[in-house]
Amino acid sequence: MPEMIINGLAVNFRSGETVLQAALAGGIHIPALCHHPGLGHFGSCRLCLVEILAGGRPGLAASCSLPASEDLVVETGTERVVRARRVVLGLLLARCPDAKPLLELAENLGAVKFTPRPGDPGCILCGRCVRACRAVGANVIGFAWRGRDRRVAVPFDQPPADCLGCRACEQVCPVNVIKVVEDRGRIRIFPWQSEIEMAYCRNCGAAIGPGVQAGRLQKRFPVEGPLSGLCPACRRRFQAALAGGLVIQPT
Ligand code: FES
């Protein structure tokens, strides 16, 4: 396997991997916010900066979008890197001053200065929710506007009718600004204002998941007869009973 040098250590990498992936696989920590292993790199937060010493254009580069190569020599904690990271983190904290993960990073890094921007929605624009919604949801979240006004939004700022309620956006948000509230058989996702009815097992009454998603699954992988409308546990029980020729007794 080819090797590159990170912090003076030889680190293996696979073809096509980035410096961040090689470092993480080699047990070297580099802070990263917009990168997600399941969503790939986006290069927006700039927190994953490293300093290139040889094998590339000398200077700072975002390790999440820097291809690993055999002649590359990088350092992850030089004075220059730390100074740049402090500035980057200060800018992120100005947008999102209450985000615990950012405050923890600032504590580790030390000397991070920031002034909260009044009226900011508290999002660092990492795009993880947008990419997750595109990958596993219904592609209802996107970036709107530009420059200072750039934000993540839903079409026409209206509750998106197509939202599946899959909660992928909530799962991947690194600063926990997406909130899901379960209330009287519905889930509400903020800030999108999505409202989705839950589907319940017709036997035990346990929540199966968001109704739209359950409906789509049923359409794609139809389950008919006595096994339809059941939660996984009841379905297994009913299946076992049917295989054994027993009469199914609802709980
Ligand atoms: S993780 Fe590299 S720029 Fe955000």
Side-chain angles (χ1 to χ4, degrees), residues 179-190:
K179 303 276 181 243
V180 178
V181 178
E182 290 189 39
D183 179 29
R184 281 168 288 168
R186 305 181 80 81
I187 58 167
R188 295 192 176 86
I189 307 180
F190 299 93

Side-chain angles (χ1 to χ4, degrees), residues 20 30-36 41-49 62-65 126:
L20 179 65
I30 299 177
L33 284 174
C34 66
H35 170 83
H36 185 284
H41 66 266
F42 191 54
S44 71
C45 75
R46 316 311 285 177
L47 205 62
C48 64
L49 292 172
S63 61
C64 70
S65 38
C126 67

Side-chain angles (χ1 to χ4, degrees), residues 128-130 132-133 141 166-173 178 180 189 192:
R128 276 165 60 151
C129 58
V130 175
C133 190
I141 314 171
C166 66
R167 302 173 72 155
C169 54
E170 179 206 18
Q171 290 284 324
V172 298
C173 177
I178 300 169
V180 178
I189 307 180
W192 326 127

